[in-house]
Amino acid sequence: MEYNITVIPGDGIGPEIVREAKKVLDKVGEVYGHTFHYTEVLMGGCSIDAYGVPLTEEALETARKSDSVLLGAVGGNVGNSRWYDVAPNLRPEAGLLAIRKGLGLFANIRPAYLYHELAGACPLKKEIIGDGFDMVIMRELTGGLYFGERYTKEIDGVMTAVDTLTYNENEIRRIAIKAFEIAMKRKKSVISVDKANVLDSSRLWRKVVEEVAKDYPEVKLTHMLVDNCAMQLVMNPGQFDVVLTENMFGDILSDEASMITGSIGMLSSASMNEGKFGLYEPSHGSAPDIAGKNIANPIATILSAAMMLRYSFDLDKEADAVEAAVQKVLSDGIRTVDIMSEGCTKVGTAEMGDAICARI
Ligand code: NAD
């Protein structure tokens, strides 16, 4: 098969890590008989330098016309970069918001997987880690408290701030469908997280999720209150498969889940629209402190490319092969500096990409 991928290397370590992800995709293409066509566009600080804006309409249009988008990271050294001497909507990170909005990406998927080889970096005790954990947090990205009406004004002589949390049934239904679809590709369990004992929006959330669940009889649905979920993530992370939740709860829980894996250079993510289209990127930023030194860990970006294979192209076997190659590299003791431990072999960004390709 042939696929058109818009590639956005971005700033900082972006170009270095994206180069390795492309290398891995090309190796997958060679082994499994696919061709990936890449079109590179600018976004972030490099786009500001070239065009004066973090994302041009042309770049967005290129992304829109492709089958999916692979992104490195954008942004510079916030305290010390000319990119930040401008209005917030002209800064590098504004490109991220513009592309998510422009492409209608409402479902954010962040896996949290513990590699046994890196368990030393997990802040949880061994008896809690048990056999490890392998979950994805499915967060609604475009509704809820962050997008509701808000204002601050004096009411009866008292300064009062108001934020509103709004969801309609269609917004809930489309993210719930996404979660159940992804559960079908995994262990067929969805834990839907809400605050239905207090919030109306959560009660509607629960009702709609239950309706959607009827179309997926093979998937086990459980409801969990958000405060309990925050505790369960550090008490028994192994119980989670797909965690489905609204925007703000997902913002907090996805950070909690990613931190218990312990290694920022390993965390992939995807943001998807109603169909198969997605934007795939590592969860970390552009790491300007280590840019250009060939020491960044490309694995988060490579695993993001694996998510693209699985979720946008339905190439599950190929995605499995990339994930297995990452696993093999770790068990062979090959490490970039951020995940280095005693007795292992330290390699650079490009060598890590080569090592993964060699195992596909
Ligand atoms: P960061 O994630 O870039 O870096 C945090 C720390 O982790 C740094 O010490 C960095 O060296 C390290 N690190 C990150 N990725 C790594 C990798 N792949 N391998 C090895 N080490 C890695 O976060 P930050 O320093 O807060 O932000 C830097 C810039 O990135 C800022 O301009 C910020 O706005 C931007 N940012 C962009 C995105 C994005 O593009 N989606 C996300 C977060 C931050």
Side-chain angles (χ1 to χ4, degrees):
M1 291 282 287
E2 301 207 7
Y3 302 93
N4 292 309
I5 302 173
T6 297
V7 174
I8 309 180
D11 308 313
I13 59 170
E16 298 166 61
I17 53 181
V18 160
R19 194 176 303 130
E20 300 316 307
K22 281 169 62 183
K23 206 190 257 179
V24 168
L25 284 172
D26 287 338
K27 181 65 193 277
V28 167
E30 199 185 300
V31 173
Y32 292 90
H34 307 296
T35 308
F36 300 105
H37 302 285
Y38 308 106
T39 310
E40 274 200 17
V41 301
L42 300 183
M43 189 171 93
C46 53
S47 174
I48 295 174
D49 287 344
Y51 307 114
V53 289
L55 180 72
T56 61
E57 194 45 53
E58 293 74 30
L60 182 60
E61 197 47 35
T62 301
R64 218 177 256 136
K65 283 197 201 125
S66 61
D67 297 319
S68 71
V69 181
L70 178 67
L71 167 66
V74 299
N77 193 333
V78 178
N80 178 26
S81 161
R82 64 190 179 289
W83 294 333
Y84 295 90
D85 293 336
V86 293
N89 66 332
L90 291 175
R91 291 178 189 168
E93 291 77 5
L96 290 170
L97 300 179
I99 199 164
R100 287 184 188 137
K101 187 159 182 265
L103 298 175
L105 307 174
F106 65 87
N108 183 243
I109 311 165
R110 266 168 68 170
Y113 178 79
L114 186 73
Y115 290 92
H116 284 290
E117 293 79 359
L118 304 180
C122 173
L124 303 178
K125 287 184 191 151
K126 272 202 182 94
E127 55 268 32
I128 288 179
I129 297 173
D131 291 336
F133 50 86
D134 175 6
M135 70 183 97
V136 300
I137 309 281
M138 167 73 76
R139 165 190 171 193
E140 204 289 329
L141 211 52
T142 58
L145 205 53
Y146 298 169
F147 290 89
E149 190 196 350
R150 70 172 66 98
Y151 56 88
T152 306
K153 68 177 179 188
E154 211 173 286
I155 301 178
D156 297 333
V158 182
M159 282 307 284
T160 306
V162 174
D163 295 289
T164 46
L165 200 177
T166 310
Y167 270 108
N168 69 41
E169 57 179 315
N170 298 332
E171 290 168 321
I172 302 169
R173 189 166 292 108
R174 64 182 187 175
I175 184 90
I177 290 171
K178 224 53 220 172
F180 280 89
E181 290 289 334
I182 281 174
M184 288 296 291
K185 282 180 176 268
R186 296 176 46 95
K187 286 173 271 169
K188 300 193 173 68
S189 154
V190 169
I191 294 190
S192 174
V193 175
D194 61 37
K195 189 72 182 166
N197 52 343
V198 180
L199 301 175
D200 265 41
S201 56
S202 283
R203 282 192 279 272
L204 180 63
W205 182 277
R206 211 173 256 220
K207 180 172 172 285
V208 175
V209 170
E210 277 171 7
E211 283 165 17
V212 171
K214 288 187 186 131
D215 294 333
Y216 299 88
E218 286 175 61
V219 179
K220 179 171 178 271
L221 169 67
T222 316
H223 299 287
M224 192 179 274
L225 295 175
V226 62
D227 38 353
N228 184 28
C229 182
M231 291 192 290
Q232 294 295 330
L233 277 172
V234 289
M235 266 168 48
N236 181 12
Q239 71 186 289
F240 296 100
D241 177 21
V242 176
V243 178
L244 163 65
T245 192
E246 61 93 56
N247 201 346
M248 185 179 66
F249 297 161
D251 188 6
I252 299 165
L253 294 175
S254 61
D255 270 11
E256 186 187 358
S258 60
M259 278 308 102
I260 59 173
T261 68
S263 12
I264 192 170
M266 305 288 298
L267 298 168
S268 54
S269 90
S271 301
M272 300 193 72
N273 75 0
E274 230 145 337
K276 292 274 174 195
F277 186 89
L279 179 145
Y280 299 83
E281 58 176 323
S283 293
H284 58 72
S286 61
D289 52 331
I290 58 167
K293 296 183 179 162
N294 191 40
I295 59 172
N297 186 348
I299 293 181
T301 318
I302 290 168
L303 291 173
S304 303
M307 288 180 83
M308 174 190 291
L309 296 173
R310 191 182 304 284
Y311 296 131
S312 280
F313 305 155
D314 276 326
L315 298 176
D316 289 22
K317 185 167 45 77
E318 290 81 344
D320 288 345
V322 175
E323 288 168 4
V326 169
Q327 177 69 65
K328 186 79 174 68
V329 150
L330 295 178
S331 54
D332 289 346
I334 298 169
R335 303 277 193 278
T336 43
V337 65
D338 57 307
I339 51 171
M340 184 62 192
S341 57
E342 231 184 287
C344 292
T345 309
K346 189 162 82 182
V347 297
T349 311
E351 294 73 28
M352 180 56 96
D354 292 341
I356 292 169
C357 284
R359 287 161 178 78
I360 291 176

